[in-house]
Amino acid sequence: MFKQLVKYFLVSCLTVPLNLGTVWFSVEFLQFHYRLAVVFGFIISVTVAFLFNRKWTFASKSKEKAKQYFKYFFVAASGMFLNVILITILVEVFDLWYLLSQFILGP
């Protein structure tokens, strides 16, 4: 159990910078609006987290990978919608930089 917790934490240590990097790249180079970039970063980081956690952290051997992914994704998506609302408030109301806002909210 402790070993899984450590692995889960390490996967998070990978996906947080991946999320922030994806958001930054999407805004600065692909010219996405910051809200779209947040959604794109979410999709990328959640997918990577799912794959790493499924294979490495929990060593799942289930053949239902697609079904598991969609369940995982839709549960996580509720957090993404809240994140988009809160980042909009931080950027538009409090005039914070979009990437700092995303970092504060914890991708």
Side-chain angles (χ1 to χ4, degrees):
M1 175 75 168
F2 181 73
K3 191 174 181 181
Q4 284 180 329
L5 186 62
V6 170
K7 287 181 177 183
Y8 191 84
F9 173 77
L10 291 173
V11 170
S12 296
C13 288
L14 167 74
T15 56
V16 168
L18 175 64
N19 179 285
L20 292 170
T22 302
V23 171
W24 175 79
F25 183 82
S26 298
V27 170
E28 301 300 328
F29 291 97
L30 301 178
Q31 300 298 305
F32 286 7
H33 188 276
Y34 73 88
R35 280 180 247 164
L36 178 59
V38 166
V39 172
F40 186 57
F42 167 83
I43 292 169
I44 299 296
S45 61
V46 162
T47 301
V48 168
F50 172 79
L51 293 172
F52 271 89
N53 282 321
R54 184 180 191 280
K55 190 74 169 173
W56 184 54
T57 306
F58 302 110
S60 175
K61 304 241 187 288
S62 172
K63 301 288 184 197
E64 297 183 338
K65 187 187 300 186
K67 184 178 178 181
Q68 289 175 338
Y69 173 73
F70 286 112
K71 283 182 179 179
Y72 181 82
F73 183 86
F74 285 114
V75 168
S78 61
M80 180 205 55
F81 289 118
L82 180 60
N83 186 298
V84 171
I85 291 167
L86 293 174
I87 197 170
T88 300
I89 293 167
L90 290 175
V91 171
E92 303 295 331
V93 176
F94 294 101
D95 202 29
L96 288 179
W97 183 39
Y98 73 91
L99 205 54
L100 176 59
S101 299
Q102 180 68 2
F103 179 78
I104 290 169
L105 294 172

